[in-house]
Amino acid sequence: MDEPEIAPGPFLEAAEARLLETSTDANRADWVYQTHITEDTEQLSARALARLIAETTDLARRSTHFRSEDLSPVESRKFRLLRLSLPLVAPGDPHDSEELTRRTIAMSSTFARGRYAPHGTSDPLDLQALSRILEENRNPTVLEDVWTGWHRIGRAIRPDFQRYVELANRGARELGFSDLGAMWRSKYDMPPDEFARETDRLWKDVEPLYRSLHAYVRRRLREAYGPDRVPDKEPIPAYLLGNMWAQSWEAILPWLARDLGEPTYDLTQLLRDHHVSPAEIVRFGERFFVSIGFDPLPTTFWTRSMFTRPAGRDVVCHASAWDVDFDDDLRLKMCLEITGEDFMVVHHELGHNYYQRAYRRQPFLFRESAHDGFHEAVGDTIALSITPEYLREIGLLSESPESGGDIALLLRRALEKVAFLPFGLVVDEWRWRVFSGEVGPAEYNRSWWEMREARQGVAPPPGRDEVEFDAGAKYHVPANVPYMRYFLAHILQFQFHQALVRAAGLSGPLHRSSIYGSAAAGARLRAMLEMGESREWPDALETLTGSRRMDAGPLLEYFAPLRRWLDEQNRGTTLGW
Ligand code: ASP
Ligand code: SER
Ligand code: ZN
């Protein structure tokens, strides 16, 4: 082994300075690409990404020359994070590495350009417009057509995905991981296998609640669509759940509402009644953070962000939050529409921005969340404080439903959050098997549906053979974004919410508690955000919640009244599929 030319301290200092510069360059190129897709921006972005990957990989390789006994705890943590800092590493061969970044960007562009003209029309619609139809239309033939039409996108993505798996695995192996999935699982301050057991444990805790919700929803859909389309004891057709991936089901709440006999409200309607603009939705989010003691967003956030879909060019519409220079150049990129769902997404994204800003004083390699589930959980935690009382306080709702409306409120949240849990789990359980080689290209689609059926209890329309590549129809697969983070975030946000509600001195039920305006809750949250990734995640979790373990208990507590109601509704119904 070569002798290191310098001591670990100066090596890291130089490495962090270089990575800051290269990452900022890559962010700028990527921003221009994602907000204006052309052949040129594609190439510029691919090249900037290739440079970042090459540099990170090179530093990571050189870092293995230091002997661990020569490193301080902070230094060895930084070296570990350096190896894990990107979701993709390049193989040493420059041709391979060029092909990998080119194919990765190609998948992203194919996805972003996807359009489908529903049967009997000639107007090609984008994913957002197709999604609106799935949410609002109740004709099963139309729903199946729109679902199938969007999923055609997978066919075009499949060849690039297959090569990307080979090349990305090659890169991960050269860095000492068994495959890219193992590399992703190594980011949680515990051995990769132990992490997989952890996600299993959390799922076991919430699975009974999910099955109860599933059985109730299936029975109501069967009443609506008939037993031929929604048979008893079978998985639910994926296109009937009001979402392209059947990942959250709040769009079908109106179908269930007549059961409830309770007053509720429709956030989409409230926003439209009040003529709220896209920028005003973002202002609502900012004001929430300000109310608990955070600073207003920088002026450049408002001038540089993209809030709505621009006319006349292709963009990556999937919402994301940016921290371009790892300091104060925060941005939001969204194709915002005036809906309750996007109101929540704005809070989700601002959670990322406020996290990024809170840890910007950390050394470069610690400017990250405690683990990636933390990043995804912060904005959602704030959104759990969007209670009827909060909406009344900010003037959107004229009177809040009395506590009699609790089942309606909880059911809406469960359709959003509980329905999501098995989907949040299965996307990466599937990719882990793909990266490890357990699932090969000849069975991509079959295994995808077997696993989705087993976890979620949903099924595709007939005929999804291996010409199709249905996993490719979900953004994060072509975009190479790990997904287990969202499962973890859906558990963590209830833990965070419970802790912050207590810090705010509130004693009502969790689903009726809002931390809006609580400086005490804000200070507790900020203390954790400022730590960034400087400590192992159990330390960060403890700072906020007092506990060192991820725990589904608060989620179960939040939904306990609904669970009792669902179990009552399900009496005499067979659960499962
Ligand atoms: N809201 C999007 C999603 O979670 C993007 C993000 O993570 O910020 O996929
Ligand atoms: N934002 C993530 C998605 O769109 C998780 O909700 O899938
Ligand atoms: Zn996110």
Side-chain angles (χ1 to χ4, degrees):
M1 194 184 285
D2 305 341
E3 277 299 302
E5 63 279 27
I6 49 170
F11 175 89
L12 274 167
E13 207 174 301
E16 291 191 277
R18 270 179 61 191
L19 288 175
L20 170 61
E21 197 178 308
T22 317
S23 307
T24 305
D25 287 347
N27 278 347
R28 291 193 199 288
D30 199 26
W31 175 271
V32 175
Y33 159 68
Q34 292 203 24
T35 59
H36 193 164
I37 303 177
T38 70
E39 293 68 24
D40 299 317
T41 59
E42 244 177 47
Q43 285 198 32
L44 292 169
S45 171
R47 287 171 68 111
L49 176 63
R51 255 195 315 278
L52 174 61
I53 292 178
E55 201 155 280
T56 308
T57 314
D58 174 54
L59 289 167
R61 284 199 189 103
R62 284 168 50 202
S63 76
T64 58
H65 297 184
F66 294 102
R67 296 183 317 181
S68 52
E69 56 271 32
D70 295 340
L71 304 178
S72 72
V74 167
E75 287 164 353
S76 51
R77 181 163 181 79
K78 283 187 175 176
F79 279 129
R80 213 154 43 73
L81 296 178
L82 172 63
R83 281 195 336 143
L84 294 165
S85 61
L86 297 177
L88 196 64
V89 285
D93 180 306
H95 292 289
D96 285 354
S97 143
E98 186 276 330
E99 184 183 352
L100 176 60
T101 47
R102 181 165 45 78
R103 289 196 184 259
T104 304
I105 300 282
M107 287 194 285
S108 154
S109 298
T110 306
F111 187 93
R113 292 196 173 112
R115 300 285 186 278
Y116 175 67
H119 191 72
T121 71
S122 55
D123 188 14
L125 302 181
D126 62 29
L127 174 59
Q128 275 188 308
L130 297 169
S131 294
R132 280 300 90 85
I133 297 175
L134 281 185
E135 284 158 24
E136 289 163 9
N137 200 292
R138 289 300 165 235
N139 178 337
T141 316
V142 171
L143 298 177
E144 187 175 339
D145 172 58
V146 163
W147 188 98
T148 308
W150 172 254
H151 280 76
R152 292 173 68 94
I153 194 83
R155 299 179 183 186
I157 289 169
R158 185 189 261 266
D160 285 328
F161 182 81
Q162 197 175 323
R163 271 301 275 168
Y164 140 93
V165 169
E166 289 168 27
L167 296 167
N169 271 340
R170 201 169 294 167
R173 287 188 189 119
E174 287 175 17
L175 219 49
F177 301 96
S178 54
D179 60 73
L180 186 64
M183 182 175 131
W184 287 359
R185 289 194 300 282
S186 301
K187 288 196 77 158
Y188 299 92
D189 298 318
M190 57 170 78
D193 293 345
E194 193 180 325
F195 175 67
R197 281 196 295 279
E198 209 33 21
T199 56
D200 260 352
R201 171 182 71 82
L202 293 166
W203 168 243
K204 290 278 171 331
D205 287 344
V206 295
E207 190 181 4
L209 173 61
Y210 176 75
R211 289 166 71 86
S212 188
L213 179 69
H214 179 281
Y216 167 70
V217 165
R218 180 176 54 194
R219 181 170 59 78
R220 300 293 280 108
L221 290 176
R222 186 168 56 249
E223 287 160 14
Y225 290 111
D228 289 345
R229 238 177 233 274
V230 189
D232 206 6
K233 302 182 190 137
E234 295 286 322
I236 303 171
Y239 54 87
L240 295 182
L241 286 159
N243 174 281
M244 193 60 86
W245 310 277
Q247 71 179 63
S248 52
W249 307 343
E250 66 270 26
I252 62 166
L253 182 70
W255 282 77
L256 313 173
R258 73 174 164 83
D259 262 10
L260 307 173
E262 285 181 353
T264 183
Y265 61 88
D266 175 357
L267 186 49
T268 299
Q269 204 49 54
L270 294 178
L271 295 168
R272 291 182 185 162
D273 290 349
H274 286 82
H275 307 287
V276 175
S277 71
E280 280 162 357
I281 291 191
V282 185
R283 286 287 182 196
F284 276 119
E286 180 191 43
R287 275 199 295 275
F288 197 116
F289 281 92
V290 170
S291 88
I292 59 174
F294 288 84
D295 290 335
L297 291 160
T299 321
T300 50
F301 173 89
W302 300 97
T303 54
R304 297 177 189 172
S305 288
M306 182 190 101
F307 292 155
T308 53
R309 177 193 274 284
R313 63 183 203 253
D314 282 314
V315 299
V316 174
C317 264
H318 192 91
S320 52
W322 297 60
D323 177 14
V324 174
D325 62 354
F326 299 86
D327 186 3
D328 214 28
D329 192 349
L330 306 171
R331 304 181 198 179
L332 170 63
K333 181 188 64 60
M334 250 183 105
C335 297
L336 220 171
E337 295 183 337
I338 308 301
T339 64
E341 186 188 350
D342 276 358
F343 194 81
M344 298 299 173
V345 173
V346 164
H347 288 73
H348 173 94
E349 302 304 340
L350 291 188
H352 289 307
N353 285 135
Y354 274 101
Y355 210 150
Q356 291 157 345
R357 200 181 213 195
Y359 57 55
R360 68 179 162 151
R361 302 288 177 233
Q362 289 286 346
F364 179 77
L365 283 165
F366 293 156
R367 288 181 210 168
E368 252 302 343
S369 53
H371 70 47
D372 54 6
F374 283 64
H375 230 311
E376 299 304 334
V378 173
D380 284 11
T381 302
I382 297 301
L384 288 177
S385 278
I386 301 176
T387 57
E389 294 70 24
Y390 166 71
L391 291 174
R392 202 173 40 75
E393 211 167 327
I394 62 171
L396 286 178
L397 196 60
S398 43
E399 57 188 75
S400 60
E402 291 311 319
S403 59
D406 280 9
I407 292 301
L409 288 175
L410 284 168
L411 184 56
R412 186 208 319 260
R413 280 281 196 225
L415 293 167
E416 184 190 341
K417 306 285 186 187
V418 177
F420 179 81
L421 292 163
F423 183 77
L425 194 65
V426 77
V427 174
D428 276 0
E429 285 184 332
W430 179 79
R431 275 193 292 192
W432 292 350
R433 290 190 195 178
V434 168
F435 290 129
S436 76
E438 190 185 333
V439 164
E443 48 193 6
Y444 278 168
N445 218 41
R446 187 171 52 79
S447 60
W448 171 250
W449 284 111
E450 277 172 10
M451 293 177 73
R452 287 197 58 196
E453 184 171 325
R455 285 295 195 213
Q456 285 184 280
V458 303
R464 307 310 292 170
D465 56 26
E466 292 299 331
V467 174
E468 314 295 345
F469 177 53
D470 291 323
K474 174 67 194 166
Y475 171 79
H476 304 69
V477 173
N480 185 50
V481 180
Y483 208 78
M484 196 55 81
R485 53 181 66 176
Y486 301 108
F487 173 74
L488 300 174
H490 276 66
I491 305 281
L492 282 173
Q493 62 190 259
F494 291 92
Q495 254 183 296
F496 292 178
H497 179 63
Q498 184 194 59
L500 294 175
V501 162
R502 287 187 185 149
L506 303 168
S507 55
L510 290 178
H511 67 283
R512 284 280 181 166
S513 302
S514 176
I515 63 163
Y516 183 64
S518 168
R524 179 70 77 90
L525 178 61
R526 196 165 53 239
M528 182 186 81
L529 302 188
E530 284 175 353
M531 292 166 76
E533 204 177 11
S534 62
R535 307 280 292 273
E536 298 203 342
W537 66 260
D539 292 343
L541 188 58
E542 190 171 23
T543 301
L544 179 55
T545 69
S547 162
R548 301 182 60 80
R549 228 167 121 80
M550 292 188 278
D551 176 13
L555 182 152
L556 297 174
E557 177 188 329
Y558 186 102
F559 289 109
L562 180 74
R563 178 70 200 275
R564 282 190 292 277
W565 183 85
L566 284 172
D567 289 347
E568 226 166 83
Q569 302 288 314
N570 286 340
R571 236 179 295 143
T573 312
T574 318
L575 270 55
W577 50 90

